[in-house]
Amino acid sequence: MSPEDHAAQTVERLLDVLDLEVTQARTTEDIFTGASHPMPTGRIYGGQVLAQSLIAAERTLPEDRAVHSMHGYFLRPGDASQGITIAVDRIHDGRSFSTRRSQAYQNGVPIFSMIASFQDADPGVEHAEPMPEDVPAPEDLSPDEDRVAGLPGGTARMLSERAADIRHVDSPLYLPSDDPHVARQAVWMRMRAPLPDDQRLHRAALAYLSDMTIQESILRAHGVYWAMPGLKVASLDHAMWWHRPARVDEWLLYVQESPNARGGRGLATGRIYSGEGGLVASVAQEIMIRVPAD
């Protein structure tokens, strides 16, 4: 298989996961069902349920009313071998804003709960934090899977099978590195193949990408790496604000930092920029992190 065909295949699998089915079952909520990505850990990737919950909510709204913020909680680990059911509650529809609650279920219990707000296009005051300068271009960096080639455990293969091309500006955190222990990092990211011209799909795919690597500003501050024996990390919540339209099949710079870690929890924040420097979205996530005493 050619690299181009392989890239298209990885993105097609993602599109299949985001293509939810509408069921005939009705309560007071809209009910959708979807599939899950196979994962090496057996747990659903958090960005998947984020994107699916957003897709489900947007299915209950006109196309011109776009999401501008969401706040979600990861309640239970999801089983990647099973499908997922999403219930959408139409909480409020106003003249300019709408509010939806999406809850994702497996085996009859919620694994994720989200409230999102949607708005019609509206002019107003505008400013944005500028994109950092002196960041290497993505073309000057190697894909993560090339930088971990030869590692045991199939890490390179796993990275090459994901729909996103991720390129760390610093060393990827799959093994120990000699990089400074600082609570910040930057990564370039984009989907490996073009997506349809549907901004709702691009917004959901951006939510999917937003859960990748954001935890690493916390890990990097303490010299922690993903393969560290005994390390336990779990996402607790996730918040996101969409500022400007963008395509996720074009390069985006994800600038991340951690302002605090304490009590077995760490907070990470991120800003996502287009290749032209426009601030596309802001992200915040708190994680549970338990580092071995040794």
Side-chain angles (χ1 to χ4, degrees), residues 224-260:
V224 176
Y225 53 97
W226 288 114
M228 176 178 282
L231 174 68
K232 294 183 179 179
V233 175
S235 300
L236 299 174
D237 62 6
H238 194 94
M240 187 168 179
W241 297 263
W242 287 257
H243 306 310
R244 293 168 178 83
R247 295 190 63 95
V248 296
D249 48 15
E250 298 177 353
W251 284 116
L252 300 165
L253 179 67
Y254 201 176
V255 180
Q256 306 157 352
E257 62 182 16
S258 174
N260 186 74

PDB file of all heavy atoms in Angstrom, residues 224-260:
ATOM      1  N   VAL A 224       8.816  13.111  33.292  1.00  0.00           N
ATOM      2  CA  VAL A 224       8.019  11.890  33.209  1.00  0.00           C
ATOM      3  C   VAL A 224       7.762  11.573  31.739  1.00  0.00           C
ATOM      4  O   VAL A 224       7.613  12.485  30.916  1.00  0.00           O
ATOM      5  CB  VAL A 224       6.690  12.065  33.979  1.00  0.00           C
ATOM      6  CG1 VAL A 224       5.801  10.840  33.826  1.00  0.00           C
ATOM      7  CG2 VAL A 224       6.984  12.335  35.454  1.00  0.00           C
ATOM      8  N   TYR A 225       7.690  10.289  31.401  1.00  0.00           N
ATOM      9  CA  TYR A 225       7.461   9.881  30.022  1.00  0.00           C
ATOM     10  C   TYR A 225       6.421   8.762  30.011  1.00  0.00           C
ATOM     11  O   TYR A 225       6.189   8.081  31.018  1.00  0.00           O
ATOM     12  CB  TYR A 225       8.770   9.430  29.358  1.00  0.00           C
ATOM     13  CG  TYR A 225       9.520   8.364  30.131  1.00  0.00           C
ATOM     14  CD1 TYR A 225       9.388   7.019  29.815  1.00  0.00           C
ATOM     15  CD2 TYR A 225      10.365   8.714  31.199  1.00  0.00           C
ATOM     16  CE1 TYR A 225      10.076   6.043  30.527  1.00  0.00           C
ATOM     17  CE2 TYR A 225      11.045   7.748  31.909  1.00  0.00           C
ATOM     18  CZ  TYR A 225      10.896   6.415  31.575  1.00  0.00           C
ATOM     19  OH  TYR A 225      11.564   5.463  32.294  1.00  0.00           O
ATOM     20  N   TRP A 226       5.779   8.570  28.859  1.00  0.00           N
ATOM     21  CA  TRP A 226       4.629   7.667  28.780  1.00  0.00           C
ATOM     22  C   TRP A 226       4.981   6.226  29.133  1.00  0.00           C
ATOM     23  O   TRP A 226       4.155   5.499  29.697  1.00  0.00           O
ATOM     24  CB  TRP A 226       4.020   7.710  27.386  1.00  0.00           C
ATOM     25  CG  TRP A 226       3.290   8.986  27.087  1.00  0.00           C
ATOM     26  CD1 TRP A 226       3.635   9.932  26.160  1.00  0.00           C
ATOM     27  CD2 TRP A 226       2.086   9.457  27.707  1.00  0.00           C
ATOM     28  NE1 TRP A 226       2.729  10.971  26.168  1.00  0.00           N
ATOM     29  CE2 TRP A 226       1.774  10.703  27.105  1.00  0.00           C
ATOM     30  CE3 TRP A 226       1.258   8.966  28.706  1.00  0.00           C
ATOM     31  CZ2 TRP A 226       0.647  11.449  27.482  1.00  0.00           C
ATOM     32  CZ3 TRP A 226       0.140   9.701  29.078  1.00  0.00           C
ATOM     33  CH2 TRP A 226      -0.158  10.924  28.472  1.00  0.00           C
ATOM     34  N   ALA A 227       6.184   5.777  28.797  1.00  0.00           N
ATOM     35  CA  ALA A 227       6.556   4.379  29.047  1.00  0.00           C
ATOM     36  C   ALA A 227       7.126   4.162  30.445  1.00  0.00           C
ATOM     37  O   ALA A 227       7.593   3.060  30.754  1.00  0.00           O
ATOM     38  CB  ALA A 227       7.574   3.918  28.002  1.00  0.00           C
ATOM     39  N   MET A 228       7.081   5.167  31.314  1.00  0.00           N
ATOM     40  CA  MET A 228       7.625   5.013  32.673  1.00  0.00           C
ATOM     41  C   MET A 228       6.851   3.920  33.416  1.00  0.00           C
ATOM     42  O   MET A 228       5.625   3.978  33.526  1.00  0.00           O
ATOM     43  CB  MET A 228       7.523   6.339  33.430  1.00  0.00           C
ATOM     44  CG  MET A 228       7.967   6.253  34.884  1.00  0.00           C
ATOM     45  SD  MET A 228       7.890   7.852  35.740  1.00  0.00           S
ATOM     46  CE  MET A 228       9.390   8.617  35.095  1.00  0.00           C
ATOM     47  N   PRO A 229       7.534   2.917  33.950  1.00  0.00           N
ATOM     48  CA  PRO A 229       6.846   1.847  34.682  1.00  0.00           C
ATOM     49  C   PRO A 229       6.074   2.399  35.878  1.00  0.00           C
ATOM     50  O   PRO A 229       6.599   3.199  36.662  1.00  0.00           O
ATOM     51  CB  PRO A 229       7.990   0.933  35.140  1.00  0.00           C
ATOM     52  CG  PRO A 229       9.099   1.200  34.174  1.00  0.00           C
ATOM     53  CD  PRO A 229       8.984   2.661  33.832  1.00  0.00           C
ATOM     54  N   GLY A 230       4.827   2.000  36.006  1.00  0.00           N
ATOM     55  CA  GLY A 230       4.009   2.415  37.140  1.00  0.00           C
ATOM     56  C   GLY A 230       3.302   3.745  36.973  1.00  0.00           C
ATOM     57  O   GLY A 230       2.497   4.124  37.834  1.00  0.00           O
ATOM     58  N   LEU A 231       3.552   4.468  35.884  1.00  0.00           N
ATOM     59  CA  LEU A 231       2.878   5.749  35.666  1.00  0.00           C
ATOM     60  C   LEU A 231       1.395   5.525  35.397  1.00  0.00           C
ATOM     61  O   LEU A 231       1.015   4.652  34.611  1.00  0.00           O
ATOM     62  CB  LEU A 231       3.513   6.486  34.485  1.00  0.00           C
ATOM     63  CG  LEU A 231       2.815   7.785  34.056  1.00  0.00           C
ATOM     64  CD1 LEU A 231       2.971   8.861  35.125  1.00  0.00           C
ATOM     65  CD2 LEU A 231       3.359   8.259  32.715  1.00  0.00           C
ATOM     66  N   LYS A 232       0.547   6.324  36.043  1.00  0.00           N
ATOM     67  CA  LYS A 232      -0.892   6.273  35.810  1.00  0.00           C
ATOM     68  C   LYS A 232      -1.390   7.683  35.489  1.00  0.00           C
ATOM     69  O   LYS A 232      -1.170   8.607  36.271  1.00  0.00           O
ATOM     70  CB  LYS A 232      -1.627   5.715  37.026  1.00  0.00           C
ATOM     71  CG  LYS A 232      -1.304   4.250  37.325  1.00  0.00           C
ATOM     72  CD  LYS A 232      -2.104   3.725  38.494  1.00  0.00           C
ATOM     73  CE  LYS A 232      -1.777   2.257  38.753  1.00  0.00           C
ATOM     74  NZ  LYS A 232      -2.534   1.720  39.910  1.00  0.00           N
ATOM     75  N   VAL A 233      -2.045   7.816  34.341  1.00  0.00           N
ATOM     76  CA  VAL A 233      -2.584   9.102  33.901  1.00  0.00           C
ATOM     77  C   VAL A 233      -4.007   8.875  33.409  1.00  0.00           C
ATOM     78  O   VAL A 233      -4.268   7.921  32.672  1.00  0.00           O
ATOM     79  CB  VAL A 233      -1.729   9.715  32.769  1.00  0.00           C
ATOM     80  CG1 VAL A 233      -2.378  10.998  32.239  1.00  0.00           C
ATOM     81  CG2 VAL A 233      -0.315  10.012  33.260  1.00  0.00           C
ATOM     82  N   ALA A 234      -4.918   9.747  33.810  1.00  0.00           N
ATOM     83  CA  ALA A 234      -6.296   9.679  33.329  1.00  0.00           C
ATOM     84  C   ALA A 234      -6.847  11.091  33.229  1.00  0.00           C
ATOM     85  O   ALA A 234      -6.648  11.908  34.137  1.00  0.00           O
ATOM     86  CB  ALA A 234      -7.164   8.829  34.256  1.00  0.00           C
ATOM     87  N   SER A 235      -7.536  11.381  32.146  1.00  0.00           N
ATOM     88  CA  SER A 235      -8.161  12.694  31.976  1.00  0.00           C
ATOM     89  C   SER A 235      -9.399  12.786  32.864  1.00  0.00           C
ATOM     90  O   SER A 235     -10.212  11.859  32.908  1.00  0.00           O
ATOM     91  CB  SER A 235      -8.559  12.917  30.512  1.00  0.00           C
ATOM     92  OG  SER A 235      -7.435  12.848  29.672  1.00  0.00           O
ATOM     93  N   LEU A 236      -9.544  13.916  33.546  1.00  0.00           N
ATOM     94  CA  LEU A 236     -10.688  14.135  34.425  1.00  0.00           C
ATOM     95  C   LEU A 236     -11.764  14.984  33.744  1.00  0.00           C
ATOM     96  O   LEU A 236     -12.948  14.688  33.833  1.00  0.00           O
ATOM     97  CB  LEU A 236     -10.242  14.807  35.727  1.00  0.00           C
ATOM     98  CG  LEU A 236      -9.228  14.011  36.563  1.00  0.00           C
ATOM     99  CD1 LEU A 236      -8.762  14.845  37.752  1.00  0.00           C
ATOM    100  CD2 LEU A 236      -9.836  12.697  37.030  1.00  0.00           C
ATOM    101  N   ASP A 237     -11.345  16.067  33.118  1.00  0.00           N
ATOM    102  CA  ASP A 237     -12.305  16.931  32.430  1.00  0.00           C
ATOM    103  C   ASP A 237     -11.620  17.574  31.233  1.00  0.00           C
ATOM    104  O   ASP A 237     -10.409  17.455  31.035  1.00  0.00           O
ATOM    105  CB  ASP A 237     -12.903  17.983  33.377  1.00  0.00           C
ATOM    106  CG  ASP A 237     -11.845  18.933  33.956  1.00  0.00           C
ATOM    107  OD1 ASP A 237     -10.667  18.864  33.536  1.00  0.00           O
ATOM    108  OD2 ASP A 237     -12.184  19.753  34.822  1.00  0.00           O
ATOM    109  N   HIS A 238     -12.423  18.263  30.419  1.00  0.00           N
ATOM    110  CA  HIS A 238     -11.900  18.871  29.196  1.00  0.00           C
ATOM    111  C   HIS A 238     -12.800  20.043  28.842  1.00  0.00           C
ATOM    112  O   HIS A 238     -14.025  19.911  28.811  1.00  0.00           O
ATOM    113  CB  HIS A 238     -11.900  17.841  28.063  1.00  0.00           C
ATOM    114  CG  HIS A 238     -11.094  18.237  26.866  1.00  0.00           C
ATOM    115  ND1 HIS A 238      -9.777  17.855  26.688  1.00  0.00           N
ATOM    116  CD2 HIS A 238     -11.403  18.981  25.774  1.00  0.00           C
ATOM    117  CE1 HIS A 238      -9.320  18.332  25.542  1.00  0.00           C
ATOM    118  NE2 HIS A 238     -10.294  19.017  24.961  1.00  0.00           N
ATOM    119  N   ALA A 239     -12.194  21.185  28.587  1.00  0.00           N
ATOM    120  CA  ALA A 239     -12.942  22.367  28.147  1.00  0.00           C
ATOM    121  C   ALA A 239     -12.296  22.903  26.879  1.00  0.00           C
ATOM    122  O   ALA A 239     -11.080  22.817  26.703  1.00  0.00           O
ATOM    123  CB  ALA A 239     -12.948  23.449  29.231  1.00  0.00           C
ATOM    124  N   MET A 240     -13.133  23.449  26.003  1.00  0.00           N
ATOM    125  CA  MET A 240     -12.616  23.934  24.721  1.00  0.00           C
ATOM    126  C   MET A 240     -13.460  25.103  24.242  1.00  0.00           C
ATOM    127  O   MET A 240     -14.684  25.124  24.422  1.00  0.00           O
ATOM    128  CB  MET A 240     -12.637  22.798  23.694  1.00  0.00           C
ATOM    129  CG  MET A 240     -11.976  23.127  22.367  1.00  0.00           C
ATOM    130  SD  MET A 240     -11.762  21.622  21.382  1.00  0.00           S
ATOM    131  CE  MET A 240     -11.008  22.314  19.910  1.00  0.00           C
ATOM    132  N   TRP A 241     -12.775  26.073  23.638  1.00  0.00           N
ATOM    133  CA  TRP A 241     -13.431  27.245  23.063  1.00  0.00           C
ATOM    134  C   TRP A 241     -12.962  27.396  21.621  1.00  0.00           C
ATOM    135  O   TRP A 241     -11.759  27.450  21.363  1.00  0.00           O
ATOM    136  CB  TRP A 241     -13.068  28.504  23.850  1.00  0.00           C
ATOM    137  CG  TRP A 241     -13.527  28.469  25.272  1.00  0.00           C
ATOM    138  CD1 TRP A 241     -14.664  29.019  25.794  1.00  0.00           C
ATOM    139  CD2 TRP A 241     -12.827  27.882  26.392  1.00  0.00           C
ATOM    140  NE1 TRP A 241     -14.737  28.792  27.151  1.00  0.00           N
ATOM    141  CE2 TRP A 241     -13.622  28.097  27.544  1.00  0.00           C
ATOM    142  CE3 TRP A 241     -11.625  27.174  26.517  1.00  0.00           C
ATOM    143  CZ2 TRP A 241     -13.240  27.637  28.808  1.00  0.00           C
ATOM    144  CZ3 TRP A 241     -11.250  26.710  27.759  1.00  0.00           C
ATOM    145  CH2 TRP A 241     -12.045  26.953  28.894  1.00  0.00           C
ATOM    146  N   TRP A 242     -13.906  27.448  20.690  1.00  0.00           N
ATOM    147  CA  TRP A 242     -13.595  27.636  19.277  1.00  0.00           C
ATOM    148  C   TRP A 242     -13.661  29.126  18.955  1.00  0.00           C
ATOM    149  O   TRP A 242     -14.676  29.800  19.244  1.00  0.00           O
ATOM    150  CB  TRP A 242     -14.598  26.894  18.398  1.00  0.00           C
ATOM    151  CG  TRP A 242     -14.462  25.406  18.380  1.00  0.00           C
ATOM    152  CD1 TRP A 242     -13.908  24.646  17.401  1.00  0.00           C
ATOM    153  CD2 TRP A 242     -14.918  24.467  19.375  1.00  0.00           C
ATOM    154  NE1 TRP A 242     -13.984  23.303  17.708  1.00  0.00           N
ATOM    155  CE2 TRP A 242     -14.596  23.165  18.920  1.00  0.00           C
ATOM    156  CE3 TRP A 242     -15.559  24.613  20.610  1.00  0.00           C
ATOM    157  CZ2 TRP A 242     -14.902  22.026  19.652  1.00  0.00           C
ATOM    158  CZ3 TRP A 242     -15.860  23.480  21.339  1.00  0.00           C
ATOM    159  CH2 TRP A 242     -15.530  22.202  20.858  1.00  0.00           C
ATOM    160  N   HIS A 243     -12.598  29.672  18.377  1.00  0.00           N
ATOM    161  CA  HIS A 243     -12.534  31.109  18.109  1.00  0.00           C
ATOM    162  C   HIS A 243     -12.721  31.450  16.635  1.00  0.00           C
ATOM    163  O   HIS A 243     -13.415  32.420  16.306  1.00  0.00           O
ATOM    164  CB  HIS A 243     -11.182  31.668  18.567  1.00  0.00           C
ATOM    165  CG  HIS A 243     -10.851  31.363  19.995  1.00  0.00           C
ATOM    166  ND1 HIS A 243     -11.734  31.592  21.034  1.00  0.00           N
ATOM    167  CD2 HIS A 243      -9.722  30.848  20.565  1.00  0.00           C
ATOM    168  CE1 HIS A 243     -11.170  31.228  22.182  1.00  0.00           C
ATOM    169  NE2 HIS A 243      -9.953  30.786  21.916  1.00  0.00           N
ATOM    170  N   ARG A 244     -12.072  30.691  15.766  1.00  0.00           N
ATOM    171  CA  ARG A 244     -12.072  30.990  14.331  1.00  0.00           C
ATOM    172  C   ARG A 244     -12.150  29.697  13.529  1.00  0.00           C
ATOM    173  O   ARG A 244     -11.639  28.665  13.980  1.00  0.00           O
ATOM    174  CB  ARG A 244     -10.807  31.771  13.942  1.00  0.00           C
ATOM    175  CG  ARG A 244     -10.756  33.178  14.534  1.00  0.00           C
ATOM    176  CD  ARG A 244      -9.381  33.818  14.397  1.00  0.00           C
ATOM    177  NE  ARG A 244      -9.389  35.173  14.944  1.00  0.00           N
ATOM    178  CZ  ARG A 244      -9.249  35.450  16.246  1.00  0.00           C
ATOM    179  NH1 ARG A 244      -9.065  34.456  17.110  1.00  0.00           N
ATOM    180  NH2 ARG A 244      -9.285  36.695  16.661  1.00  0.00           N
ATOM    181  N   PRO A 245     -12.757  29.738  12.353  1.00  0.00           N
ATOM    182  CA  PRO A 245     -12.814  28.526  11.521  1.00  0.00           C
ATOM    183  C   PRO A 245     -11.415  28.086  11.106  1.00  0.00           C
ATOM    184  O   PRO A 245     -10.504  28.896  10.953  1.00  0.00           O
ATOM    185  CB  PRO A 245     -13.630  28.973  10.300  1.00  0.00           C
ATOM    186  CG  PRO A 245     -14.353  30.207  10.724  1.00  0.00           C
ATOM    187  CD  PRO A 245     -13.470  30.879  11.739  1.00  0.00           C
ATOM    188  N   ALA A 246     -11.261  26.780  10.934  1.00  0.00           N
ATOM    189  CA  ALA A 246      -9.976  26.236  10.484  1.00  0.00           C
ATOM    190  C   ALA A 246     -10.219  24.862   9.879  1.00  0.00           C
ATOM    191  O   ALA A 246     -11.244  24.223  10.147  1.00  0.00           O
ATOM    192  CB  ALA A 246      -8.992  26.130  11.644  1.00  0.00           C
ATOM    193  N   ARG A 247      -9.278  24.441   9.075  1.00  0.00           N
ATOM    194  CA  ARG A 247      -9.297  23.093   8.517  1.00  0.00           C
ATOM    195  C   ARG A 247      -8.291  22.237   9.276  1.00  0.00           C
ATOM    196  O   ARG A 247      -7.132  22.639   9.460  1.00  0.00           O
ATOM    197  CB  ARG A 247      -8.952  23.117   7.028  1.00  0.00           C
ATOM    198  CG  ARG A 247      -9.962  23.843   6.152  1.00  0.00           C
ATOM    199  CD  ARG A 247      -9.664  23.590   4.686  1.00  0.00           C
ATOM    200  NE  ARG A 247      -9.798  22.174   4.346  1.00  0.00           N
ATOM    201  CZ  ARG A 247     -10.915  21.631   3.843  1.00  0.00           C
ATOM    202  NH1 ARG A 247     -11.978  22.388   3.630  1.00  0.00           N
ATOM    203  NH2 ARG A 247     -10.964  20.338   3.549  1.00  0.00           N
ATOM    204  N   VAL A 248      -8.727  21.045   9.680  1.00  0.00           N
ATOM    205  CA  VAL A 248      -7.824  20.168  10.419  1.00  0.00           C
ATOM    206  C   VAL A 248      -6.966  19.319   9.490  1.00  0.00           C
ATOM    207  O   VAL A 248      -6.094  18.583   9.968  1.00  0.00           O
ATOM    208  CB  VAL A 248      -8.601  19.250  11.384  1.00  0.00           C
ATOM    209  CG1 VAL A 248      -9.310  20.067  12.445  1.00  0.00           C
ATOM    210  CG2 VAL A 248      -9.582  18.376  10.621  1.00  0.00           C
ATOM    211  N   ASP A 249      -7.202  19.416   8.176  1.00  0.00           N
ATOM    212  CA  ASP A 249      -6.313  18.733   7.243  1.00  0.00           C
ATOM    213  C   ASP A 249      -5.203  19.657   6.751  1.00  0.00           C
ATOM    214  O   ASP A 249      -4.487  19.329   5.810  1.00  0.00           O
ATOM    215  CB  ASP A 249      -7.085  18.133   6.068  1.00  0.00           C
ATOM    216  CG  ASP A 249      -8.074  19.109   5.442  1.00  0.00           C
ATOM    217  OD1 ASP A 249      -7.968  20.328   5.715  1.00  0.00           O
ATOM    218  OD2 ASP A 249      -8.949  18.660   4.675  1.00  0.00           O
ATOM    219  N   GLU A 250      -5.067  20.816   7.401  1.00  0.00           N
ATOM    220  CA  GLU A 250      -3.938  21.724   7.186  1.00  0.00           C
ATOM    221  C   GLU A 250      -3.193  21.877   8.515  1.00  0.00           C
ATOM    222  O   GLU A 250      -3.766  21.669   9.588  1.00  0.00           O
ATOM    223  CB  GLU A 250      -4.431  23.080   6.678  1.00  0.00           C
ATOM    224  CG  GLU A 250      -5.135  22.986   5.323  1.00  0.00           C
ATOM    225  CD  GLU A 250      -5.690  24.328   4.855  1.00  0.00           C
ATOM    226  OE1 GLU A 250      -5.637  25.305   5.637  1.00  0.00           O
ATOM    227  OE2 GLU A 250      -6.193  24.389   3.727  1.00  0.00           O
ATOM    228  N   TRP A 251      -1.915  22.261   8.451  1.00  0.00           N
ATOM    229  CA  TRP A 251      -1.087  22.292   9.653  1.00  0.00           C
ATOM    230  C   TRP A 251      -1.633  23.268  10.692  1.00  0.00           C
ATOM    231  O   TRP A 251      -1.990  24.400  10.380  1.00  0.00           O
ATOM    232  CB  TRP A 251       0.346  22.663   9.314  1.00  0.00           C
ATOM    233  CG  TRP A 251       1.129  21.553   8.685  1.00  0.00           C
ATOM    234  CD1 TRP A 251       1.649  21.516   7.427  1.00  0.00           C
ATOM    235  CD2 TRP A 251       1.484  20.300   9.302  1.00  0.00           C
ATOM    236  NE1 TRP A 251       2.299  20.324   7.207  1.00  0.00           N
ATOM    237  CE2 TRP A 251       2.227  19.556   8.338  1.00  0.00           C
ATOM    238  CE3 TRP A 251       1.250  19.741  10.557  1.00  0.00           C
ATOM    239  CZ2 TRP A 251       2.725  18.288   8.609  1.00  0.00           C
ATOM    240  CZ3 TRP A 251       1.748  18.462  10.816  1.00  0.00           C
ATOM    241  CH2 TRP A 251       2.474  17.765   9.855  1.00  0.00           C
ATOM    242  N   LEU A 252      -1.677  22.786  11.946  1.00  0.00           N
ATOM    243  CA  LEU A 252      -2.080  23.582  13.105  1.00  0.00           C
ATOM    244  C   LEU A 252      -0.991  23.457  14.164  1.00  0.00           C
ATOM    245  O   LEU A 252      -0.446  22.374  14.381  1.00  0.00           O
ATOM    246  CB  LEU A 252      -3.403  23.064  13.676  1.00  0.00           C
ATOM    247  CG  LEU A 252      -4.613  23.085  12.732  1.00  0.00           C
ATOM    248  CD1 LEU A 252      -5.735  22.224  13.294  1.00  0.00           C
ATOM    249  CD2 LEU A 252      -5.086  24.515  12.506  1.00  0.00           C
ATOM    250  N   LEU A 253      -0.685  24.562  14.828  1.00  0.00           N
ATOM    251  CA  LEU A 253       0.306  24.557  15.908  1.00  0.00           C
ATOM    252  C   LEU A 253      -0.421  24.543  17.244  1.00  0.00           C
ATOM    253  O   LEU A 253      -1.241  25.413  17.526  1.00  0.00           O
ATOM    254  CB  LEU A 253       1.216  25.782  15.818  1.00  0.00           C
ATOM    255  CG  LEU A 253       2.280  25.878  16.911  1.00  0.00           C
ATOM    256  CD1 LEU A 253       3.308  24.757  16.775  1.00  0.00           C
ATOM    257  CD2 LEU A 253       2.979  27.251  16.876  1.00  0.00           C
ATOM    258  N   TYR A 254      -0.116  23.546  18.062  1.00  0.00           N
ATOM    259  CA  TYR A 254      -0.736  23.379  19.379  1.00  0.00           C
ATOM    260  C   TYR A 254       0.294  23.747  20.439  1.00  0.00           C
ATOM    261  O   TYR A 254       1.244  23.000  20.687  1.00  0.00           O
ATOM    262  CB  TYR A 254      -1.177  21.924  19.531  1.00  0.00           C
ATOM    263  CG  TYR A 254      -2.245  21.643  20.565  1.00  0.00           C
ATOM    264  CD1 TYR A 254      -2.754  20.346  20.702  1.00  0.00           C
ATOM    265  CD2 TYR A 254      -2.741  22.638  21.409  1.00  0.00           C
ATOM    266  CE1 TYR A 254      -3.739  20.044  21.620  1.00  0.00           C
ATOM    267  CE2 TYR A 254      -3.727  22.344  22.333  1.00  0.00           C
ATOM    268  CZ  TYR A 254      -4.224  21.048  22.445  1.00  0.00           C
ATOM    269  OH  TYR A 254      -5.195  20.751  23.368  1.00  0.00           O
ATOM    270  N   VAL A 255       0.135  24.916  21.059  1.00  0.00           N
ATOM    271  CA  VAL A 255       1.052  25.419  22.077  1.00  0.00           C
ATOM    272  C   VAL A 255       0.462  25.101  23.447  1.00  0.00           C
ATOM    273  O   VAL A 255      -0.658  25.502  23.754  1.00  0.00           O
ATOM    274  CB  VAL A 255       1.259  26.939  21.922  1.00  0.00           C
ATOM    275  CG1 VAL A 255       2.220  27.458  22.980  1.00  0.00           C
ATOM    276  CG2 VAL A 255       1.773  27.267  20.527  1.00  0.00           C
ATOM    277  N   GLN A 256       1.212  24.390  24.278  1.00  0.00           N
ATOM    278  CA  GLN A 256       0.678  23.857  25.527  1.00  0.00           C
ATOM    279  C   GLN A 256       1.552  24.253  26.710  1.00  0.00           C
ATOM    280  O   GLN A 256       2.771  24.342  26.593  1.00  0.00           O
ATOM    281  CB  GLN A 256       0.594  22.326  25.434  1.00  0.00           C
ATOM    282  CG  GLN A 256      -0.189  21.833  24.233  1.00  0.00           C
ATOM    283  CD  GLN A 256       0.163  20.421  23.826  1.00  0.00           C
ATOM    284  OE1 GLN A 256       1.106  19.820  24.332  1.00  0.00           O
ATOM    285  NE2 GLN A 256      -0.592  19.863  22.893  1.00  0.00           N
ATOM    286  N   GLU A 257       0.913  24.471  27.849  1.00  0.00           N
ATOM    287  CA  GLU A 257       1.655  24.735  29.083  1.00  0.00           C
ATOM    288  C   GLU A 257       0.835  24.275  30.273  1.00  0.00           C
ATOM    289  O   GLU A 257      -0.395  24.130  30.187  1.00  0.00           O
ATOM    290  CB  GLU A 257       2.010  26.220  29.219  1.00  0.00           C
ATOM    291  CG  GLU A 257       0.823  27.140  29.291  1.00  0.00           C
ATOM    292  CD  GLU A 257       1.237  28.601  29.373  1.00  0.00           C
ATOM    293  OE1 GLU A 257       2.405  28.918  29.068  1.00  0.00           O
ATOM    294  OE2 GLU A 257       0.388  29.421  29.744  1.00  0.00           O
ATOM    295  N   SER A 258       1.517  24.042  31.386  1.00  0.00           N
ATOM    296  CA  SER A 258       0.851  23.622  32.616  1.00  0.00           C
ATOM    297  C   SER A 258       1.113  24.647  33.712  1.00  0.00           C
ATOM    298  O   SER A 258       2.246  24.797  34.160  1.00  0.00           O
ATOM    299  CB  SER A 258       1.349  22.248  33.073  1.00  0.00           C
ATOM    300  OG  SER A 258       0.786  21.927  34.345  1.00  0.00           O
ATOM    301  N   PRO A 259       0.081  25.367  34.174  1.00  0.00           N
ATOM    302  CA  PRO A 259       0.288  26.357  35.231  1.00  0.00           C
ATOM    303  C   PRO A 259       0.366  25.761  36.631  1.00  0.00           C
ATOM    304  O   PRO A 259       0.811  26.434  37.562  1.00  0.00           O
ATOM    305  CB  PRO A 259      -0.943  27.258  35.105  1.00  0.00           C
ATOM    306  CG  PRO A 259      -2.006  26.366  34.541  1.00  0.00           C
ATOM    307  CD  PRO A 259      -1.290  25.397  33.636  1.00  0.00           C
ATOM    308  N   ASN A 260      -0.080  24.484  36.804  1.00  0.00           N
ATOM    309  CA  ASN A 260      -0.135  23.954  38.169  1.00  0.00           C
ATOM    310  C   ASN A 260      -0.238  22.438  38.168  1.00  0.00           C
ATOM    311  O   ASN A 260      -0.866  21.831  37.286  1.00  0.00           O
ATOM    312  CB  ASN A 260      -1.354  24.514  38.913  1.00  0.00           C
ATOM    313  CG  ASN A 260      -1.377  24.121  40.381  1.00  0.00           C
ATOM    314  OD1 ASN A 260      -0.614  24.650  41.180  1.00  0.00           O
ATOM    315  ND2 ASN A 260      -2.238  23.181  40.741  1.00  0.00           N
TER     316      ASN A 260
END
